[in-house]
């Protein structure tokens, strides 16, 4: 049972966390990373018996019986292979996502048999999956194939390496003065001298300007706390521009590729000298020109390396034809010299590009790249820091003496597969830890939000942000029926709408699917019915998002969506999968409805914070108030909707 008041202490920005030493941190984290890796491997396929392959396919980690339907080269020398189901229909539900590492094997090959190739998921469609390979697999692509999701070795290796660096005690190196501050052994220094700056973005609000100013004054660490929709990335961009103007060299990172690309795109108009590191298949097409590979190809050293490769090709031909031993020996010697020279030129080409850039952008794992070995930066910026594992942050942090972390520890933390690792603290983020350790001293919170009607925001502001976040006048009163083409009706006028499934005669109880995830078909029907009403009133389907905490409910909702063409463009996702996104209208299906009044992980405050704050103009909650009100936090949410919104009964939506 939760106690009254639990909420306020849980959400305060500064909790009394006692500092952890570097050694304690390293010995706590090293085994937890192993546990997480094991959990990821276990989630993929166990053995290759046809039964376990079927099970793995049901779990979503394997796609069976595929055929390779297309091969294209492009994307800086990568080969793009397209796979479709052998039957030519839709792919079954799966957990492959863009950028995952996958292997391709003959459909029935056992687990120890060699793979045909390993690549990176490049595009996903309903009926096919495109994978980028470094080389085209030599043969074996003609028969039936399977794709398996595999653990990304590099992620774990890079985190382990960061821990090794930390455990060695960073006596020297770019981060030697930063490490003691981040472990509470030395106080952070904030310059008292007022720093003036003239903003590049003239629209920055007062809280964004204050944050930039504070960031420029912090000598070691600065935390940019950005509640939903408050322009966290806008502020990060301004910080980068001000730092470049000061002459700083910056390493800008985030946990996900999409967040890194978002920064790259938003820096473009300012003509900053930047380079984006990363596998081309993981980058958005619009940022490919900034990719390291593309810039290296344009450099002089790369042209020289190319000439050397041509020369080597000619020599290799001669070697094949040569009969005389001495001639062969001489050619081999020359080839070795050329190979050394080619490697040197390649490396120089890379170093040149990195040296010339003011801002180097990569994911946290990408910061482990050998291409950055020996590079030091004046400042490391990590966006989405509250969604990144602390160990992952250290991969980048070891490269500079100062850091700026941007995020919101009151939204969802990183996803962790291993229950044990999570319980033992793998998921506690550096952002959260530092907010607890130093609080306001090194932190600024953005307080004007540009997304939500004020009624949607106020619940979150009160529960999580001490009532400090206010809606900007451009959004404070915007309504769904203000959108062009939308009719005013009982479905479109409420900003907050509660649809209650409690006490229904028809079946609105939850049940479990095969994977033990919870679903509620009756509630899903009501949710879909409301979305349909919105569309009938002129709301664009693509302006509607349906979100739910449970994966099984996502599948159930998607099945219902597939039956009605007008719903095609309604997005359906888990809450976790929708973090960082927004829609004009959001419908939340809460699922839980049971006589024991169990609410499971609905009670995770941060998940509900994310769910509600995805909505711009309307937030609709579909739930069994009898069940969910059993939890104090959710009870307050229901009461807020009852007080400030419209109430309707589920019976009005189902015949
Ligand atoms: N000072 C401002 N004036 C007007 N609009 C702004 C301002 N700052 C941010 N915005 C707008 O608010 C929206 C959110 O901004 P941004 O993408 O920077 O936010 P974020 O906090 O990173 O988002 P999220 O909540 O998804 O983390 C954008 O449409 C942006 O243009």
């Amino acid at each position: 049972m939760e106690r009254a008041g639990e909420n306020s202490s849980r959400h305060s920005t500064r909790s009394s966390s006692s500092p952890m030493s570097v050694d304690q941190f390293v010995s706590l984290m090293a085994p937890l990373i192993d546990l997480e890796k094991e959990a990821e491997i276990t989630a993929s396929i166990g053995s290759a018996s046809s039964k376990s392959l079927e099970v793995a396919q049901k779990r979503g980690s394997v796609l069976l019986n595929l055929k390779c339907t297309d091969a294209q080269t492009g994307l800086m020398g990568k080969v793009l292979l397209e796979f479709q189901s052998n039957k030519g229909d839709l792919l079954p539900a799966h957990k492959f996502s863009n950028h995952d590492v996958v292997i391709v094997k003959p459909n029935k090959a056992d687990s120890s048999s060699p793979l045909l190739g390993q690549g990176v998921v490049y595009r996903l469609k309903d009926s096919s999956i495109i994978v980028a390979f470094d080389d085209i697999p030599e043969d074996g692509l003609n028969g039936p194939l399977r794709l398996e999701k595999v653990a990304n070795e590099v992620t774990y290796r890079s985190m382990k390496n960061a821990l090794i660096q930390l455990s060695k005690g960073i006596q020297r190196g770019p981060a030697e003065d930063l490490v003691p501050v981040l472990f509470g052994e030395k106080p952070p220094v904030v310059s008292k001298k007022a720093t003036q700056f003239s903003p590049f973005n003239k629209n920055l609000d007062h809280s964004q300007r204050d944050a930039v100013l504070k960031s420029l004054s912090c000598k070691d660490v600065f935390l940019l706390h950005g509640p939903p929709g408050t322009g966290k990335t806008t502020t990060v961009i301004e910080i980068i521009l001000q730092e470049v103007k000061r002459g700083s060299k910056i390493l800008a990172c985030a946990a996900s590729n999409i967040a890194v690309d978002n920064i790259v795109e938003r820096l473009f108009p300012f003509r900053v000298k930047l380079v984006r590191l990363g596998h081309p298949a993981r980058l958005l097409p619009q940022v490919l020109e900034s990719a390291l590979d593309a810039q290296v190809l344009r450099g002089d050293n790369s042209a020289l390396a190319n000439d050397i490769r041509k020369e080597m090709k000619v020599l290799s031909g001669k070697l094949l034809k040569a009969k005389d031993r001495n001639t062969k020996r001489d050619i081999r010697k020359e080839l070795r010299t050329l190979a050394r020279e080619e490697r040197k030129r390649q490396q120089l080409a890379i170093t040149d590009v990195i040296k010339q850039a003011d801002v180097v952008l990569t994911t946290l794992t990408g910061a482990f790249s050998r291409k950055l070995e020996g590079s030091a930066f004046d400042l490391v910026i990590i966006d989405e820091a509250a969604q990144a594992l602390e160990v992952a942050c250290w991969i980048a942090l070891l490269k500079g003496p100062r850091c700026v972390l941007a995020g919101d520890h009151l939204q969802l933390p990183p996803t962790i597969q291993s229950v044990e690792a999570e319980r033992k603290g793998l998921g506690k983020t550096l952002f959260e830890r530092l907010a607890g350790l130093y609080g306001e001293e090194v932190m600024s919170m953005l307080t004007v939000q540009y997304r939500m009607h004020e009624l949607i925001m106020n619940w979150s502001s009160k529960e999580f942000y001490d009532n400090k976040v206010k809606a900007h006048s451009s959004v404070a009163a915007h309504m769904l029926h203000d959108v062009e083409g939308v009719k005013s009706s009982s479905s479109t006028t409420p900003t907050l709408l509660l649809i209650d499934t409690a006490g229904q005669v028809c079946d609105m109880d939850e049940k479990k699917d095969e994977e033990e995830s919870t679903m509620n078909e009756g509630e899903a029907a009501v949710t879909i019915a409301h979305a349909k009403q919105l569309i009938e009133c002129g709301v664009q389907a693509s302006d509607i998002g349906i979100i739910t905490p449970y994966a099984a409910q996502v599948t159930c909702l998607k099945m219902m969506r597939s039956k009605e063409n007008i719903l095609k463009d309604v997005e359906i996702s888990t809450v976790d999968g929708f973090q960082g996104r927004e829609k004009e209208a959001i419908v939340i299906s809460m699922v839980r409805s049971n006589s024991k009044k169990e609410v499971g992980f609905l009670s995770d405050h941060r998940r509900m914070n994310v769910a509600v704050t995805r909505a711009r103009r309307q937030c609709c909650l579909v739930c069994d108030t009898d069940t969910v009100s059993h939890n104090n936090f959710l009870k307050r949410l229901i009461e807020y909707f009852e007080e400030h919104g419209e109430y309707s009964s589920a019976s009005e939506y189902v015949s």
Side-chain angles (χ1 to χ4, degrees):
M1 269 286 243
E2 282 171 290
R3 294 182 308 274
E6 177 199 275
N7 198 42
S8 52
S9 62
R10 186 164 175 170
H11 296 147
S12 71
T13 45
R14 185 165 189 164
S15 62
S16 52
S17 55
S18 54
M20 195 184 329
S21 74
V22 181
D23 290 343
Q24 282 169 329
F25 177 75
V26 172
S27 36
L28 175 70
M29 289 300 155
L32 300 189
I33 291 172
D34 292 335
L35 278 176
E36 181 63 1
K37 185 176 174 188
E38 270 166 43
E40 196 178 339
I41 292 169
T42 320
S44 53
I45 86 166
S47 78
S49 68
S50 53
K51 187 153 172 258
S52 73
L53 282 174
E54 292 292 335
V55 172
Q57 169 148 284
K58 275 215 176 102
R59 261 200 247 127
S61 55
V62 169
L63 284 168
L64 295 170
N65 252 317
L66 302 172
K67 59 183 172 194
C68 179
T69 52
D70 192 27
Q72 291 198 11
T73 44
L75 210 64
M76 293 161 214
K78 310 281 174 215
V79 182
L80 300 175
L81 297 185
E82 180 157 10
F83 299 91
Q84 286 185 359
S85 156
N86 246 327
K87 291 185 205 133
D89 44 15
L90 297 186
L91 293 175
H94 60 74
K95 291 193 180 139
F96 288 66
S97 22
N98 282 341
H99 313 155
D100 281 349
V101 181
V102 295
I103 53 174
V104 57
K105 282 190 165 188
N107 193 44
K108 293 211 164 135
D110 60 41
S111 25
S112 59
S113 70
L115 21 142
L116 300 172
Q118 173 167 321
V120 170
V121 176
Y122 178 58
R123 288 271 180 284
L124 277 165
K125 301 180 193 166
D126 286 348
S127 58
S128 73
I129 175 165
I130 301 177
V131 182
F133 294 89
D134 282 342
D135 293 301
I136 197 156
E138 292 213 335
D139 45 22
L141 286 179
N142 294 331
L145 302 164
R146 74 167 186 256
L147 283 177
E148 292 174 21
K149 229 167 90 109
V150 290
N152 191 344
E153 285 287 330
V154 182
T155 311
Y156 294 101
R157 211 165 349 113
S158 55
M159 289 197 281
K160 270 289 172 72
N161 183 273
L163 287 181
I164 293 168
Q165 299 297 321
L166 272 174
S167 71
K168 279 186 189 159
I170 309 290
Q171 272 94 21
R172 286 210 187 113
E176 63 185 300
D177 293 329
L178 180 66
V179 175
V181 176
L182 299 196
F183 283 98
E185 289 161 12
K186 229 174 85 182
V189 177
V190 183
S191 165
K192 299 266 177 328
K193 258 203 324 223
T195 317
Q196 288 304 323
F197 77 101
S198 151
F200 286 84
N201 179 349
K202 302 289 178 235
N203 293 328
L204 290 187
D205 63 51
H206 64 94
S207 69
Q208 293 169 331
R209 280 174 192 246
D210 288 351
V212 176
L213 203 61
K214 192 156 182 181
S215 156
L216 294 171
S217 312
C218 284
K219 300 285 180 205
D220 330 88
V221 52
F222 171 67
L223 303 179
L224 174 65
H225 183 194
T230 52
K232 178 171 58 61
T233 312
T234 304
T235 313
V236 165
I237 298 296
E238 184 69 30
I239 293 174
I240 294 178
L241 295 172
Q242 292 299 335
E243 287 286 349
V244 169
K245 192 171 153 193
R246 268 182 170 186
S248 305
K249 189 172 176 85
I250 301 165
L251 176 64
C253 301
S256 72
N257 277 289
I258 194 86
V260 179
D261 285 349
N262 187 12
I263 302 177
V264 175
E265 274 194 279
R266 290 169 70 165
L267 282 175
F268 274 155
F270 298 97
R271 303 183 168 278
V272 178
K273 275 192 268 166
L274 58 87
V275 58
R276 166 72 159 104
L277 262 66
H279 191 298
R282 292 191 166 111
L283 313 192
L284 289 175
Q286 56 269 38
V287 309
L288 276 177
E289 275 300 290
S290 316
L292 176 65
D293 297 21
Q295 295 193 40
V296 163
L297 284 174
R298 293 197 290 266
D300 291 345
N301 274 308
S302 187
L304 282 171
N306 232 346
D307 290 345
I308 299 171
R309 271 196 297 279
K310 279 187 201 145
E311 216 176 305
M312 287 168 72
K313 216 168 166 185
V314 175
L315 275 179
S316 302
K318 281 188 185 159
L319 182 66
L320 280 176
K321 287 188 197 135
K323 303 238 161 35
D324 169 54
R325 270 182 65 187
N326 285 345
T327 317
K328 279 190 182 176
R329 196 192 52 215
D330 290 347
I331 296 179
R332 278 203 199 97
K333 197 168 154 205
E334 202 174 337
L335 271 172
R336 274 198 297 275
T337 315
L338 284 175
R340 260 200 306 275
E341 183 63 17
E342 193 257 355
R343 270 201 304 277
K344 198 173 113 197
R345 290 287 164 192
Q346 274 292 1
Q347 193 52 50
L348 276 175
I350 291 169
T351 319
D352 279 353
V353 174
I354 291 175
K355 222 193 238 160
Q356 278 160 24
D358 289 328
V359 189
V360 176
L361 298 110
T362 174
T363 54
L364 293 168
T365 309
F368 175 59
S369 165
R370 281 191 30 208
K371 292 166 184 158
L372 287 183
E373 253 168 40
S375 307
F377 297 86
D378 301 302
L379 174 67
V380 177
I381 298 190
I382 304 180
D383 197 3
E384 283 188 349
Q387 280 171 269
L389 296 182
E390 167 158 1
V391 195
C393 290
W394 277 108
I395 305 168
L397 290 173
L398 291 173
K399 298 192 178 294
R402 269 179 76 211
C403 67
V404 169
L405 307 182
D408 180 11
H409 52 304
L410 304 175
Q411 295 183 60
L412 283 164
T415 313
I416 292 175
Q417 308 238 8
S418 158
V419 178
E420 190 182 345
E422 172 147 46
R423 192 169 43 78
K424 291 184 173 163
L426 183 63
K428 172 135 186 179
T429 63
L430 177 63
F431 192 97
E432 196 180 353
R433 192 165 73 69
L434 292 174
L437 198 57
Y438 296 124
E440 309 277 299
E441 219 177 318
V442 296
M443 182 152 87
S444 255
M445 183 168 91
L446 304 178
T447 54
V448 183
Q449 67 82 16
Y450 299 87
R451 174 184 297 153
M452 289 157 265
H453 186 290
E454 62 185 355
L455 282 180
I456 303 175
M457 183 69 233
N458 288 350
W459 167 76
S460 166
S461 185
K462 178 160 180 258
E463 279 288 339
F464 297 92
Y465 307 104
D466 293 333
N467 262 329
K468 286 186 182 142
V469 183
K470 304 287 177 219
H472 186 256
S473 57
S474 59
V475 297
H478 65 183
M479 308 290 290
L480 193 53
H481 59 74
D482 292 339
V483 175
E484 212 186 315
V486 176
K487 278 192 298 213
S488 188
S489 75
S490 57
S491 317
T492 58
T493 36
T495 300
L496 302 173
L497 174 63
L498 175 66
I499 306 181
D500 194 356
T501 66
Q504 292 304 307
V505 236
C506 50
D507 185 12
M508 299 240 177
D509 285 348
E510 66 182 57
K511 61 181 189 202
K512 299 265 185 215
D513 78 344
E514 289 169 25
E515 295 293 315
E516 291 292 293
S517 174
T518 315
M519 61 196 277
N520 186 331
E521 285 171 342
E523 189 182 290
V526 174
T527 306
I528 291 282
H530 173 63
K532 254 179 83 181
Q533 284 189 1
L534 292 182
I535 295 169
E536 281 156 7
C537 291
V539 179
Q540 295 288 324
S542 56
D543 281 341
I544 304 172
I546 300 180
I547 53 179
T548 173
Y550 294 94
Q553 186 74 344
V554 168
T555 312
C556 173
L557 286 158
K558 281 186 175 170
M559 291 276 287
M560 291 183 184
R561 178 184 62 184
S562 68
K563 292 187 183 128
E564 310 233 19
N565 204 33
I566 57 162
L567 295 167
K568 190 165 61 70
D569 294 328
V570 173
E571 240 181 284
I572 298 175
S573 163
T574 56
V575 177
D576 300 46
F578 216 74
Q579 175 140 285
R581 308 272 320 279
E582 63 177 32
K583 288 279 178 184
E584 299 295 349
I586 286 285
V587 198
I588 306 170
S589 167
M590 306 255 282
V591 177
R592 302 312 299 256
S593 174
N594 55 70
S595 52
K596 289 191 192 150
K597 319 279 185 220
E598 285 172 354
V599 295
F601 75 162
L602 277 187
S603 64
D604 184 329
H605 303 197
R606 293 174 294 186
R607 185 165 284 104
M608 281 321 295
N609 188 26
V610 171
V612 172
T613 59
R614 300 307 94 200
R616 285 172 51 78
R617 296 167 192 259
Q618 181 182 81
C619 182
C620 169
L621 209 54
V622 190
C623 67
D624 175 352
T625 53
D626 262 2
T627 300
V628 301
S629 294
H630 211 66
N631 171 282
N632 281 334
F633 164 71
L634 295 173
K635 186 163 176 247
R636 287 199 298 278
L637 174 66
I638 301 294
E639 283 168 357
Y640 181 85
F641 268 64
E642 282 170 346
E643 189 180 341
H644 299 281
E646 301 289 324
Y647 175 95
S648 53
S649 160
S651 58
E652 295 167 35
Y653 293 81
V654 280
S655 45

